[in-house]
Amino acid sequence: VQLQASGGGLVQAGDSLRLACAASGGTFSSEDMGWFRQAPGKDREFVAAINWSGAGTYYADSVKGRFTISRDNAKNTLYLQMNSLKPEDTAVYYCAAIVYSDYSKVFSSWGQGTLVTVSS
């Protein structure tokens, strides 16, 4: 599956953004998915995961209560609603196909991420 993230931009602290990840060339509707991010000078880190049906989700502690992952299998699209953004959320955000029970097991290419910059 090929993945393309979009929706990033420059916002102020406290603002909201919704990221989208369009999938093509695979069976998106049967794949568990995740969002990850990489801040300048740091390793890529897990943000959120969702199972194939959308019934199961979990989040990194740093975004719990502020971010919501969702999907529309009819549109082959994954979403990340980000509210109450903080400067420390500044990063390039990526989507990937994962193993839901172990998000470190990524089995798609990362594709082109989308940059989110949060100013204070």
Side-chain angles (χ1 to χ4, degrees):
V1 62
Q2 287 75 50
L3 303 167
Q4 178 67 55
S6 63
L10 173 62
V11 298
Q12 293 187 331
D15 285 351
S16 298
L17 272 179
R18 188 173 82 153
L19 306 184
C21 172
S24 62
T27 54
F28 175 80
S29 61
S30 63
E31 294 174 349
D32 303 328
M33 298 294 297
W35 283 100
F36 297 78
R37 67 186 181 186
Q38 187 167 20
K42 295 188 177 181
D43 292 335
R44 186 151 26 207
E45 65 175 3
F46 167 76
V47 175
I50 189 168
N51 76 336
W52 66 272
S53 69
T57 62
Y58 62 94
Y59 301 87
D61 287 343
S62 58
V63 306
K64 199 174 297 183
R66 300 188 298 122
F67 290 11
T68 302
I69 188 171
S70 63
R71 66 192 298 159
D72 186 335
N73 286 343
K75 295 182 178 180
N76 286 347
T77 303
L78 176 74
Y79 301 101
L80 185 68
Q81 177 67 42
M82 305 187 296
N83 299 329
S84 303
L85 282 161
K86 304 176 181 180
E88 51 264 43
D89 295 319
T90 295
V92 177
Y93 284 72
Y94 301 87
C95 54
I98 62 170
V99 174
Y100 183 71
S101 59
D102 183 353
Y103 62 78
S104 68
K105 295 179 180 176
V106 176
F107 60 90
S108 67
S109 61
W110 289 106
Q112 184 174 353
T114 187
L115 175 64
V116 173
T117 304
V118 184
S119 64
S120 57

